[in-house]
Amino acid sequence: MDSRWVGPDGYEIVPAYRRDRQVLRVRRHGQVVADCLSVEEVARYVDLADLCEVIPLTARAGDARQVARSQA
């Protein structure tokens, strides 16, 4: 459950659990706005078309050295 979506105006949507039930937690500038049970509820706070999924990239050991050499 490492998914996270961000949108304009500081909105962030992350999966969370509330009372043993999975919800979509809507935050704005770090403050919890709502715990939504459906995507339709999330759409009340932010336009779904504006959301972008954040995908963490893992760096491989050789990548940092390769970039350093190419910049030299």
Side-chain angles (χ1 to χ4, degrees):
M1 233 173 43
D2 293 344
S3 299
R4 183 170 77 108
W5 297 268
V6 294
D9 300 325
Y11 280 100
E12 175 183 29
I13 291 80
V14 294
Y17 280 93
R18 186 172 183 200
R19 297 186 191 122
D20 297 328
R21 188 168 186 176
Q22 188 172 2
V23 296
L24 293 169
R25 180 160 290 156
V26 178
R27 294 182 187 155
R28 185 167 187 220
H29 301 298
Q31 300 282 24
V32 175
V33 175
D35 285 340
C36 301
L37 297 175
S38 68
V39 175
E40 290 80 16
E41 287 183 52
V42 174
R44 294 179 193 164
Y45 298 96
V46 62
D47 185 353
L48 301 177
D50 290 337
L51 295 177
C52 294
E53 185 174 7
V54 177
I55 302 172
L57 301 176
T58 57
R60 294 181 288 185
D63 290 347
R65 285 182 244 130
Q66 184 70 21
V67 171
R69 276 186 247 160
S70 67
Q71 292 178 351

